[in-house]
Amino acid sequence: MTADLNMFAFLAGAVLYMIYGGIYYSILLGKKDQDGAGPVKYVVAVLVAFISSALVGVLVQGTESSGLASGALVGGIVGILVSIVYLKNALFGLMTKRMFLIAIGDHLIIFTLLGALHGWFL
C-alpha cells in the first residue's frame, strides 16, 4: 500500500508542478512571442516536473519528514538552494532583477508545495 501511495504522491506532485507553473507564468508573463523552441520546451517542462517531484519525494522520505509542515520545510530548503543559485546568476548580470524575482518566487513556492505534498503522503 505504501508504494502505491508514494507513486500517487509522485504523480500528484508532477501534476501540481505543471498546473502551478502554467498558472504562475501565465499570470506573471502573459502572452509572449514564442522563441522558436516549439513543443520541445513543453516536453522538457513536463520532464522537469516529474524529476522535481521524484527528487523532492526522495528527500522527504530520506529525512522521514512526515506531515505537511515537515515536508514543506524540506521543500522550502530546496527552494532556497535553487534561489541562491539564481542570486549568483543575477549578480553576474545573467538575468534581470524582474526575471530573478519571478524565478525565485516560482521555485520557493513550488518546492515548498511539493515538499508539503510528499510529507502529507509519507
Side-chain angles (χ1 to χ4, degrees):
M1 180 92 171
T2 303
D4 293 334
L5 192 59
N6 292 336
M7 182 56 71
F8 182 75
F10 164 69
L11 294 173
V15 170
L16 172 68
Y17 192 108
M18 288 183 271
I19 291 171
Y20 171 80
I23 294 169
Y24 183 87
Y25 283 105
S26 293
I27 291 171
L28 289 177
L29 299 179
K31 288 194 173 197
K32 291 199 163 241
D33 292 334
Q34 299 298 319
D35 62 3
V40 172
K41 64 183 167 190
Y42 296 105
V43 171
V44 171
V46 168
L47 290 173
V48 167
F50 279 98
I51 292 167
S52 295
S53 180
L55 293 177
V56 170
V58 166
L59 288 172
V60 169
Q61 288 180 11
T63 57
E64 298 179 359
S65 301
S66 61
L68 287 171
S70 184
L73 178 63
V74 171
I77 290 170
V78 172
I80 290 169
L81 289 172
V82 171
S83 297
I84 290 169
V85 171
Y86 276 109
L87 174 62
K88 177 197 53 97
N89 290 343
L91 290 174
F92 282 95
L94 298 176
M95 60 192 329
T96 66
K97 182 179 178 182
R98 181 175 185 268
M99 288 289 117
F100 167 69
L101 293 174
I102 289 171
I104 67 165
D106 171 36
H107 292 93
L108 286 171
I109 294 168
I110 193 56
F111 283 114
T112 302
L113 290 173
L114 283 175
L117 184 137
H118 282 279
W120 186 43
F121 283 102
L122 186 58

